[in-house]
Amino acid sequence: MQFRYGITASLTALLVMVILLSQGSAYLTTSEQLRQTVREREIDKVKTLGNIIEQLLQRETTRTRELAKLLASNPTLATAATGNVASREQLLDDTLKQLFSGRQIDLLEITDASETIVYRAGSNAAVGERSAVWGVTEALTGASGIATTIEAKGVTVRAIEPLRQNGRITGTLMTGIYMNSNYLANLSRQIGANLVLVSRSKPVATSAPGMLESLDATAIREAFEQKIPIYREDAATRVTRVYLPVLIVDEGFVVLAEIDSSAVYKGLEKTRQQMVLSALAILIASVIAGIILVALLMQPLRSLRQRAERSVNKLTGVAPTEERTGNEVTSVVGVLDELTAALLTRNRELAEAKAAAEAASDAKSQFLSNMSHEIRTPLNGVLGMAELLQGTPLSEEQRKYTRAITASGRTLHELLSDILDLAKIEARAVKLEDIAFNPVAMVTDIGDAYRELAANRGTLLTVKIDPTLPAQLAGDPTRLRQVLSNLAGNAVKFTEHGEITVGVYVNDRRDRTSGKLWLRFTVRDTGIGIDDAAKARLFQPFTQADSSTTRNFGGTGLGLVICKHLVELMGGDLHLESTLGKGTSLWFDLPFGIPATTAAPAVKAPQSAAATFPVRVLVAEDNAVNKEVIRAMLQRLGATSTIVENGQLAVEAARQATFDLILMDCQMPVLDGYQAAAAIRHDQSGGTRVPIVALTANALADDRQQCLDAGMDDYLAKPVNLGKLRDMLAKWTAPQQAAGEGASTPTPAP
């Protein structure tokens, strides 16, 4: 019973502690939020008072100035300033007595042209004295003025205006108001707050004398220096104060406004007491409910323990002790702790491995991009110069050397393309097309492409096509051609004598419920073959059947890996059968859709090698060798070229001259090709759009899309040859060429 009641008491105590902590935390949080809300509301109230005070002071200043202007425009006052003394007093008294009866102004002074006071109201100074007020001399010259004067009992605001009669200044008029203690007391009654007006040196006026003792010199100094309201709250008296910096005309002052917040805080304390009572009621109810809940939850555990004790007693004849039960619980908890620690460690290791794999993948992608660019740039110069050199008069020995250079460069280009293809496959960045194509024409073209090469090695290459094969299928012809070309090329490479067969057949044994037509593609040869030990590692990257094939036949071991991935991506499997010394057979089955129409797609006629393009081309290229290559190729194609070495110069050239085509490198100093293309497109917005073709060594799919996103129309990857450049000129300068030949060929859409 000690175990049962001990667990119940422990859970109950724990539940009570949790409820106490939650209620206490809720009370403290709510209480603090209420206190903060009250404080913010009181500060907002003081802020509002500060804005009202500032507006009232500005209104008084504006009213004084406007009243002075209004009075100065009265011709009667101008006449009185130059009349005799007897008539002047009566006239001015009759004219101005209404101002003081309504308390619109506190003082008024009129001087004649010699600055002598001819009338003064609201002041004890005698008439006939020379005025000492600032601005009188300036007003006699035609200038208006307003100024403040700090006096013993307050601040006087004066507005001075010239008096004119028939366009001639006959004197001055000055109006003024007293911002003294009486003024602040009246203002204090209106807004419900005590006020003190303080200058930089001393208090000037106060609405309540007792407020002078509560001035905070530090807050006044901060308000003057920082030019922002400074707030203070007295926790003992519950008084909220704001030190508001104000500008009266051209003099800086601080207005202290304070309000009594004690009533609000009394309400806050009453609310807190109510919250305490509510929290106690909730606590008592929660404890009672918790005890009942714990009792209900513990009942199954008690029943389980009783059954376990009966089972142990029946099997062993000995009832378990409390110590044995405690040890069992401790062991279970220890196992759970160890399991939890192991799971946490495993999760941490998996997270670290994932981060490392992602970093390695990003590093590899960046490396491949950089490697592609750095290899393709000089490779463009090598292949371009070799192609240009082949078009010049050469001896037979020189032609042999240039063919060797071209063959080596193309081999390097194929290697680079294989590596990039493998990287895209591993990154799952290969996207398949679903377009109509002619499978018969594709397989026939591949056979024609490799037949002469096989014949040079003493091998017969034949093509076998199922006569029931449809003329049109839907799929990805580019990837299918890549796989068949790679397999046919390997067969030619490893078959020095004998026969090679490339075939395609309709596979009727496949399930057609999906509406797809399955075809089987085969490539068989009678070459060197592969032994069983080499077959296991044949489809691993950078691996060949044995080391001797690398020396005898060359290659990187990437072709079959790429073929296998592409076939699987298209929905099939690549199979291999081979016997050492007797040949190899590879085949795969793929599904293809049946197009809705069987009409053959339009085939664009190849561009004649003798075609010329009398167009103007702007080339942005920073590599010196590639400049010469592209200049010579364009010249051979009949185009006139302007070559600049960075994107900024390309933008300026496009602004200064008209071009039919722009070839834009992407990585250049000063301004790269993407920024340059965007700038040119911005200049051409609403006008003629000149085609921009990326001429770059960046050959990844993301690079192509980045060029199109920057505003370019097409993409030409290095290395570039005359055929590719001729096709690009034909595609994007067709209207110019057609104009010269009298034809009308539509411009292709970007």
Side-chain angles (χ1 to χ4, degrees):
M1 298 302 293
Q2 180 181 359
F3 169 80
R4 299 166 188 164
Y5 291 124
I7 291 291
T8 303
S10 299
L11 291 178
T12 303
L14 179 62
L15 180 60
V16 171
M17 184 179 299
V18 170
I19 295 174
L20 283 173
L21 290 176
S22 62
Q23 289 295 323
S25 176
Y27 169 76
L28 293 176
T29 302
T30 306
S31 178
E32 178 61 24
Q33 290 178 348
L34 286 174
R35 191 194 69 80
Q36 186 66 23
T37 301
V38 169
R39 180 177 181 275
E40 291 176 354
R41 193 183 71 174
E42 292 303 298
I43 289 178
D44 288 339
K45 187 187 300 182
V46 174
K47 287 181 181 179
T48 304
L49 288 177
N51 293 333
I52 294 174
I53 292 169
E54 188 172 15
Q55 292 174 5
L56 289 175
L57 293 177
Q58 292 177 353
R59 189 187 67 179
E60 289 294 332
T61 303
T62 303
R63 183 177 62 82
T64 302
R65 189 162 195 171
E66 291 177 350
L67 184 59
K69 290 181 178 293
L70 179 63
L71 293 174
S73 64
N74 191 332
T76 303
L77 297 181
T79 303
T82 59
N84 57 66
V85 176
S87 62
R88 177 188 305 155
E89 292 290 342
Q90 185 62 38
L91 180 61
L92 292 177
D93 284 342
D94 294 341
T95 305
L96 303 174
K97 63 181 180 180
Q98 296 179 355
L99 296 175
F100 293 95
S101 63
R103 299 301 299 169
Q104 295 181 357
I105 59 174
D106 294 317
L107 58 90
L108 184 140
E109 180 181 291
I110 298 177
T111 67
D112 58 16
S114 62
E115 301 185 21
T116 301
I117 301 173
V118 298
Y119 180 84
R120 174 172 287 177
S123 175
N124 296 325
V127 175
E129 297 178 352
R130 184 178 178 85
S131 177
V133 176
W134 178 89
V136 172
T137 304
E138 288 76 5
L140 289 174
T141 64
S144 300
I146 187 168
T148 59
T149 304
I150 302 175
E151 300 176 355
K153 296 183 179 181
V155 177
T156 302
V157 179
R158 292 182 174 85
I160 304 171
E161 294 288 335
L163 293 173
R164 291 180 173 85
Q165 185 177 25
N166 298 327
R168 182 174 60 86
I169 296 176
T170 61
T172 66
L173 181 140
M174 180 272 293
T175 61
I177 60 171
Y178 295 138
M179 293 184 182
N180 51 20
S181 296
N182 293 333
Y183 175 82
L184 291 184
N186 183 40
L187 184 60
S188 175
R189 286 191 297 272
Q190 295 179 18
I191 64 176
N194 294 325
L195 304 174
V196 178
L197 183 62
V198 183
S199 68
R200 289 186 177 272
S201 58
K202 61 179 181 178
V204 176
T206 178
S207 63
M211 289 188 61
L212 298 177
E213 300 176 357
S214 62
L215 291 177
D216 189 337
T218 303
I220 294 173
R221 184 176 62 256
E222 291 178 358
F224 272 117
E225 293 176 353
Q226 300 180 17
K227 303 296 188 298
I228 59 174
I230 304 299
Y231 301 96
R232 293 288 188 268
E233 182 182 13
D234 192 335
T237 61
R238 296 303 184 186
V239 173
T240 306
R241 299 183 179 90
V242 59
Y243 292 84
L244 177 70
V246 296
L247 188 67
I248 302 177
V249 185
D250 55 357
E251 188 72 25
F253 295 89
V254 168
V255 175
L256 166 61
E258 68 175 20
I259 60 173
D260 185 4
S261 304
S262 58
V264 177
Y265 281 97
K266 287 180 181 179
L268 176 62
E269 291 299 327
K270 185 177 180 180
T271 303
R272 286 178 174 174
Q273 294 174 1
Q274 295 175 350
M275 289 173 54
V276 171
L277 295 177
S278 300
L280 288 175
I282 294 173
L283 177 62
I284 294 172
S286 300
V287 169
I288 295 174
I291 293 174
I292 297 174
L293 179 62
V294 169
L296 294 175
L297 293 176
M298 291 300 299
Q299 184 61 38
L301 181 60
R302 295 192 185 101
S303 300
L304 178 62
R305 177 176 174 79
Q306 291 171 359
R307 290 196 299 269
E309 288 177 349
R310 288 194 296 267
S311 299
V312 172
N313 191 15
K314 182 183 292 186
L315 293 174
T316 63
V318 179
T321 63
E322 295 295 335
E323 181 180 359
R324 288 174 58 187
T325 304
N327 291 336
E328 182 66 21
V329 172
T330 303
S331 64
V332 171
V333 172
V335 171
L336 292 177
D337 287 340
E338 293 177 3
L339 179 59
T340 302
L343 289 174
L344 291 175
T345 302
R346 183 59 176 168
N347 287 339
R348 185 172 58 254
E349 292 174 351
L350 290 175
E352 293 174 353
K354 179 185 176 187
E358 291 176 349
S361 177
D362 293 341
K364 185 179 78 170
S365 298
Q366 184 62 40
F367 169 75
L368 289 174
S369 178
N370 294 337
M371 182 194 71
S372 172
H373 182 273
E374 295 304 321
I375 293 179
R376 287 176 182 272
T377 297
L379 189 61
N380 183 65
V382 172
L383 292 178
M385 285 297 185
E387 185 176 14
L388 292 171
L389 188 60
Q390 287 178 337
T392 62
L394 299 174
S395 64
E396 187 60 31
E397 183 178 8
Q398 290 172 333
R399 290 189 181 279
K400 177 182 178 181
Y401 295 157
T402 55
R403 284 196 297 269
I405 294 174
T406 302
S408 299
R410 288 175 179 170
T411 301
L412 181 59
H413 184 208
E414 292 172 359
L415 168 62
L416 182 61
S417 299
D418 286 345
I419 294 175
L420 292 179
D421 281 342
L422 181 61
K424 287 188 289 185
I425 291 173
E426 291 178 347
R428 298 181 180 179
V430 177
K431 297 182 180 179
L432 296 178
E433 294 181 321
D434 189 13
I435 60 176
F437 70 99
N438 188 333
V440 177
M442 173 184 292
V443 177
T444 302
D445 290 344
I446 293 174
D448 293 341
Y450 286 95
R451 184 173 290 109
E452 182 178 355
L453 181 60
N456 292 335
R457 298 173 60 85
T459 304
L460 175 64
L461 189 148
T462 59
V463 175
K464 294 184 178 181
I465 300 176
D466 191 329
T468 64
L469 187 65
Q472 289 290 306
L473 293 176
D476 192 332
T478 302
R479 296 303 178 184
L480 179 59
R481 181 185 295 273
Q482 183 177 355
V483 173
L484 289 177
S485 297
N486 199 303
L487 297 182
N490 281 348
V492 172
K493 181 191 302 184
F494 296 108
T495 306
E496 295 185 353
H497 302 286
E499 183 179 359
I500 299 173
T501 303
V502 178
V504 56
Y505 311 93
V506 176
N507 191 349
D508 292 329
R509 291 175 297 175
R510 289 285 185 172
D511 181 15
R512 298 187 182 183
T513 57
S514 61
K516 299 283 188 178
L517 178 65
W518 287 81
L519 301 183
R520 170 165 292 186
F521 298 88
T522 62
V523 178
R524 296 185 176 90
D525 65 68
T526 58
I528 61 175
I530 306 171
D531 59 23
D532 294 337
K535 292 178 184 178
R537 61 177 187 272
L538 190 62
F539 291 100
Q540 297 178 4
F542 306 102
T543 303
Q544 291 188 324
D546 60 17
S547 59
S548 65
T549 58
T550 303
R551 294 191 298 271
N552 295 334
F553 301 98
T556 61
L558 292 178
L560 286 180
V561 177
I562 295 173
C563 291
K564 178 176 176 60
H565 282 293
L566 290 178
V567 169
E568 292 175 351
L569 190 62
M570 290 186 287
D573 293 306
L574 182 61
H575 303 275
L576 175 135
E577 289 183 358
S578 182
T579 303
L580 188 63
K582 295 184 178 181
T584 303
S585 176
L586 292 106
W587 76 92
F588 56 91
D589 298 327
L590 290 178
F592 294 93
I594 306 298
T597 176
T598 58
V603 179
K604 183 179 178 180
Q607 190 68 26
S608 172
T612 59
F613 304 88
V615 294
R616 296 189 62 189
V617 181
L618 173 62
V619 181
E621 171 64 63
D622 63 323
N623 185 276
V625 176
N626 288 337
K627 286 181 184 179
E628 295 300 324
V629 171
I630 195 65
R631 177 188 286 110
M633 286 185 175
L634 289 173
Q635 183 178 0
R636 185 165 295 183
L637 294 174
T640 302
S641 61
T642 300
I643 301 180
V644 295
E645 62 185 10
N646 59 58
Q648 183 61 44
L649 295 178
V651 174
E652 294 175 359
R655 291 171 180 169
Q656 297 172 2
T658 301
F659 296 93
D660 302 307
L661 180 67
I662 299 176
L663 298 178
M664 183 73 70
D665 190 15
C666 292
Q667 294 189 7
M668 294 182 293
V670 184
L671 195 69
D672 61 30
Y674 308 113
Q675 297 171 324
I680 293 174
R681 287 291 176 247
H682 181 270
D683 292 341
Q684 295 175 350
S685 58
T688 302
R689 180 185 177 96
V690 178
I692 302 178
V693 176
L695 181 65
T696 177
N698 296 330
L700 298 179
D702 292 341
D703 299 323
R704 177 187 296 270
Q705 188 59 44
Q706 185 178 4
C707 293
L708 299 179
D709 293 341
M712 302 186 196
D713 301 288
D714 212 332
Y715 183 93
L716 188 58
K718 296 177 182 177
V720 179
N721 56 38
L722 277 171
K724 293 180 180 179
L725 186 58
R726 181 184 294 108
D727 293 341
M728 195 61 67
L729 290 176
K731 178 179 180 180
W732 292 105
T733 63
Q736 291 83 350
Q737 184 186 16
E741 298 174 357
S744 59
T745 305
T747 304

